[in-house]
Amino acid sequence: MESKKSPTTKRATGSKQASRRKFLATGAAAAALGAVQTTAVPAAGQTAAPETKSLSDLIAYGDRSEYVKSVRVAVDERPSPDEFGLTFHVLTPLQDSVGIITPSSLHFIGTHRGSIVPDIDPKQHRLLIHGMVDRPLEFSMDDLRRFPAVSRVHFIECLGNHSKAKDKTVQETHGLTSCSEWTGVLLSTLLKECGVQKGASWVVSEGAEEVKGAGSIRLAKAMDDCIAAYGQNGEAVRPQQGFPLRLVVPGFEGIYNTKWLRRIKVVDRYYMTYNDYGHISKDEEVAALTFQWGPKSVITFPSGGQTLPGPGVYQLTGLAWSGGGAVRRVEVSTDGGETWKDAEIRGGVHPKAHTRFGMDWKWDGRECVVVSRSTDELGQVQPSRAELAAFFKVPPDYYKTHGVQGSDNTIQPWRVESDGSVHNAI
Amino acid sequence: MRFRVALTAMILCLCCGGLAAAQSSTDGTYGVGKTPTPEEIRAADITISPDGKNLPPGKGTAKAGAAIFAQKCAACHGENGYGGLAPILIKPEPPVKSSTPCLAPCIGPGSVMPLHAPYATVIWDYINRAMPFRQEGSLEPDEVYALTAFLLYKNGVIKEDEVLDQTTLPEVKMPNRDGYAIPDWKPGMPRPFPNKRKG
């Protein structure tokens, strides 16, 4: 069928498999060029060309509705794929999310150096654990399934998830976080199987991709709640997320969640890999803000780029999470932080996981600023940019024009204008 | 053998009322997995310690590195180590901003990667595992020592005739040696900021 629609709906003739691939490739290329809008609004009366996937294909593996257009986009600083064919950072469309689970197909992507997703045969894949252990061991994927599995809901968030004044939508301000149910073996189970030796204090994990991306975490974290995960949201981990095996380091910066996990070396000091040293800081206070994400939240409706059709009742909703544990409380202000009201937690509350909040909200049609802040089980409260400025002893407006050091968990303000349009109000 | 131990333990556990999450053998292990040979571990282990542990034998100088750089690196990183599509490797005079906006990890525009690393071993490790593009892992140890020497010489860290090897590489005093702090971490530990809520 000929189509004059956008590249994402364009469909070539030919074999179904090939055209599907071409469709995906075209979509990816369009996304890389920023041609795909984050909120696709078809012209009135326009009907999208149907995606005519064969019935047998749909019986084998279902698609979402052709009317659902929610897509990821590459960060604006660097296209993905780039001139080298490398994928860098790709943002998840939080503005369209419901509940707490990010669909695997929409999970954000962050990569070491930029990488090419490896094509790994799970039958050939092995995880080697060695170094300061009594029994170095190599596990096949079948071996890993012989250990007791855990399934836990955890967010993964890239350190680069910084909200900037120029960012327009919540996809741009916060799209480098996603949440999945991860299934696999606790890393502590595997390390106990190998027998960690006295004096060990760190582990270095390594991926099987072409750059063999590696990261260091303290042994205390490795023995706490890390997962060697082969499952994501009820099926195998997606290739872009590390198929067949990835390390999940709950609550820590995304870069430690090594994809395509092939090796873990137990060592006696901080090894400072390539991935690690880009994240280190000379300032001890900034350094102490790395590793573990602080309490964070963002309103996804109303959020930047959306439009309210007029005054009336809406469901204000968003996501809250913390690397310190479970979210205990989410407060919302519709007057820019002057007064606060507790939002309802709507859905499951899991440690180190996205948590959905919401509240009835009657918009009177006047300009206002909506913000949310979360408190976690450790009693940590999400700070405003002004509070962060006070902590680092810089002018109160400093972070309106400067990036936040380390991980950015500051409060995100959205300004609703009287015409119903919503804007980033950093 | 381990399997038999595991089986016995399982039976014991069942007798004890099926303790949840009980391990399958008396020593707490499951007896799953294959023991790799020392050769297999050596072949897989490309992780280099900042103190030089696990560096292979070999050596190289800046002079040897210059020729390898021209042949294997310049196409992406630029003839002079800057101005290419890939990150800046040699500090330009006067300084120029990298056309590469931000890397993962984000070292930042204008930063010179080999100067940012607190230990020269980090550079060696990364070149060895991740370069050159599309031929990752193909360099011989001598080539990696030579390239590391070349980049450190061109950035003013070592002299042109210095020989880098297993012993001298970890001893290189990098400009950013003291440029980092390692935070502590324990389960359930809050971050220093924000502080606990008052009242």
Side-chain angles (χ1 to χ4, degrees):
Chain A
M1 175 182 253
E2 280 303 309
S3 168
K4 288 171 185 166
K5 310 280 166 2
S6 73
T8 50
T9 57
K10 197 169 176 180
R11 184 171 169 75
T13 50
S15 88
K16 288 188 175 70
Q17 281 295 330
S19 61
R20 173 81 186 146
R21 266 191 223 110
K22 187 167 180 182
F23 163 75
L24 289 168
T26 313
L33 295 169
V36 176
Q37 292 181 336
T38 54
T39 48
V41 184
Q46 185 181 358
T47 311
E51 268 297 311
T52 50
K53 200 171 177 181
S54 82
L55 197 56
S56 57
D57 280 351
L58 285 173
I59 284 166
Y61 200 89
D63 271 357
R64 63 182 180 177
S65 161
E66 66 192 80
Y67 299 104
V68 178
K69 303 291 186 193
S70 188
V71 290
R72 298 183 293 200
V73 293
V75 291
D76 57 356
E77 285 101 350
R78 185 157 194 163
S80 286
D82 73 350
E83 302 94 329
F84 296 100
L86 300 171
T87 299
F88 284 83
H89 290 104
V90 178
L91 304 151
T92 196
L94 289 176
Q95 67 278 12
D96 303 322
S97 72
V98 295
I100 60 172
I101 298 295
T102 309
S104 302
S105 301
L106 295 176
H107 196 290
F108 89 89
I109 306 171
T111 56
H112 315 124
R113 184 182 80 175
S115 69
I116 294 160
V117 174
D119 180 13
I120 299 174
D121 177 356
K123 286 193 173 63
Q124 305 301 320
H125 191 73
R126 299 288 183 272
L127 170 64
L128 171 65
I129 300 183
H130 70 109
M132 295 177 72
V133 293
D134 294 332
R135 297 172 294 277
L137 286 170
E138 188 183 78
F139 304 106
S140 68
M141 293 306 298
D142 286 342
D143 288 340
L144 293 175
R145 287 175 188 271
R146 292 169 71 177
F147 290 99
V150 295
S151 290
R152 294 180 182 174
V153 178
H154 288 304
F155 76 85
I156 295 178
E157 179 173 17
C158 179
L159 179 73
N161 210 20
H162 281 201
S163 179
K164 302 179 194 76
K166 72 176 174 64
D167 296 335
K168 291 188 169 57
T169 67
V170 69
Q171 183 165 23
E172 291 167 0
T173 59
H174 287 74
L176 292 177
T177 183
S178 295
C179 187
S180 300
E181 183 193 69
W182 299 102
T183 297
V185 189
L186 284 175
L187 183 56
S188 60
T189 303
L190 299 176
L191 289 172
K192 282 174 197 160
E193 188 75 9
C194 296
V196 175
Q197 292 173 348
K198 213 174 165 202
S201 54
W202 289 79
V203 304
V204 185
S205 62
E206 181 181 276
E209 80 279 29
E210 82 283 2
V211 297
K212 306 281 181 287
S216 309
I217 55 171
R218 285 189 185 274
L219 181 64
K221 182 62 178 173
M223 295 302 286
D224 185 30
D225 57 358
C226 297
I227 306 169
Y230 44 75
Q232 179 186 7
N233 298 331
E235 61 180 355
V237 171
R238 291 291 175 92
Q240 290 174 326
Q241 296 303 324
F243 180 84
L245 190 68
R246 91 171 298 170
L247 188 62
V248 174
V249 184
F252 270 36
E253 290 166 25
I255 202 161
Y256 299 112
N257 295 255
T258 303
K259 298 176 188 176
W260 313 294
L261 181 66
R262 73 157 197 173
R263 190 163 67 88
I264 285 171
K265 185 175 184 178
V266 181
V267 296
D268 60 355
R269 61 175 289 170
Y270 183 40
Y271 261 42
M272 199 176 301
T273 67
Y274 169 78
N275 287 340
D276 297 328
Y277 88 84
H279 281 219
I280 57 179
S281 172
K282 188 174 188 170
D283 183 333
E284 285 194 22
E285 284 174 330
V286 177
L289 296 180
T290 62
F291 292 162
Q292 181 176 302
W293 277 98
K296 195 164 176 177
S297 70
V298 67
I299 294 169
T300 55
F301 183 90
S303 64
Q306 296 170 337
T307 304
L308 305 180
V313 174
Y314 294 91
Q315 290 302 314
L316 183 152
T317 185
L319 292 165
W321 63 98
S322 173
V327 169
R328 281 284 171 261
R329 182 184 193 189
V330 183
E331 297 157 283
V332 168
S333 169
T334 55
D335 55 14
E338 293 293 316
T339 58
W340 296 86
K341 192 181 167 190
D342 277 12
E344 288 175 24
I345 302 296
R346 294 175 171 172
V349 178
H350 303 268
K352 301 160 196 175
H354 283 182
T355 306
R356 177 62 63 175
F357 65 88
M359 63 186 280
D360 298 347
W361 174 51
K362 192 169 182 183
W363 183 49
D364 58 11
R366 283 187 293 207
E367 183 174 311
C368 64
V369 173
V370 297
V371 295
S372 63
R373 74 176 173 207
S374 68
T375 303
D376 69 13
E377 64 177 283
L378 300 179
Q380 302 183 109
V381 185
Q382 184 181 6
S384 67
R385 293 195 160 219
E387 287 168 329
L388 192 71
F391 179 77
F392 283 111
K393 299 181 179 65
V394 292
D397 286 348
Y398 184 82
Y399 293 114
K400 289 190 175 184
T401 48
H402 291 76
V404 170
Q405 308 97 307
S407 52
D408 178 2
N409 69 325
T410 55
I411 287 170
Q412 172 66 43
W414 301 114
R415 187 178 66 255
V416 183
E417 295 187 353
S418 54
D419 66 358
S421 61
V422 188
H423 306 270
N424 186 352
I426 283 178
Chain B
M1 197 60 183
R2 290 174 80 195
F3 179 68
R4 186 176 293 170
V5 176
L7 202 65
T8 313
M10 273 171 74
I11 292 163
L12 276 171
C13 283
L14 287 172
C15 295
C16 298
L19 287 172
Q23 260 96 21
S24 308
S25 69
T26 45
D27 66 352
T29 65
Y30 290 83
V32 173
K34 167 188 166 270
T35 300
T37 65
E39 291 71 34
E40 284 171 331
I41 294 175
R42 243 194 315 278
D45 186 6
I46 54 172
T47 306
I48 309 299
S49 171
D51 64 13
K53 203 184 295 168
N54 207 33
L55 273 171
K59 62 178 190 306
T61 61
K63 205 175 165 190
I68 302 165
F69 186 89
Q71 190 198 339
K72 298 190 174 179
C73 318
C76 294
H77 291 282
E79 199 183 330
N80 299 309
Y82 58 88
L85 285 169
I88 293 179
L89 296 179
I90 297 170
K91 200 176 181 178
E93 288 296 341
V96 294
K97 283 241 168 185
S98 170
S99 63
T100 313
C102 179
L103 292 160
C106 188
I107 289 160
S111 292
V112 183
M113 297 177 74
L115 285 179
H116 190 82
Y119 295 93
T121 50
V122 179
I123 302 167
W124 197 100
D125 177 296
Y126 190 67
I127 295 172
N128 181 55
R129 71 173 60 217
M131 290 293 152
F133 182 60
R134 291 290 199 180
Q135 295 164 61
E136 295 85 357
S138 65
L139 297 171
E140 294 297 325
D142 282 354
E143 293 180 296
V144 184
Y145 282 113
L147 282 170
T148 307
F150 174 68
L151 294 179
L152 292 179
Y153 161 64
K154 293 298 274 185
N155 285 299
V157 180
I158 64 168
K159 295 191 189 75
E160 189 170 18
D161 57 358
E162 274 186 62
V163 179
L164 292 187
D165 58 25
Q166 280 172 298
T167 311
T168 56
L169 180 77
E171 290 169 355
V172 172
K173 173 81 176 153
M174 298 295 290
N176 201 29
R177 169 61 63 89
D178 302 316
Y180 69 95
I182 309 172
D184 194 15
W185 187 88
K186 287 183 179 68
M189 196 168 92
R191 307 189 334 156
F193 177 81
N195 297 313
K196 285 218 173 193
R197 176 166 244 171
K198 294 184 188 83

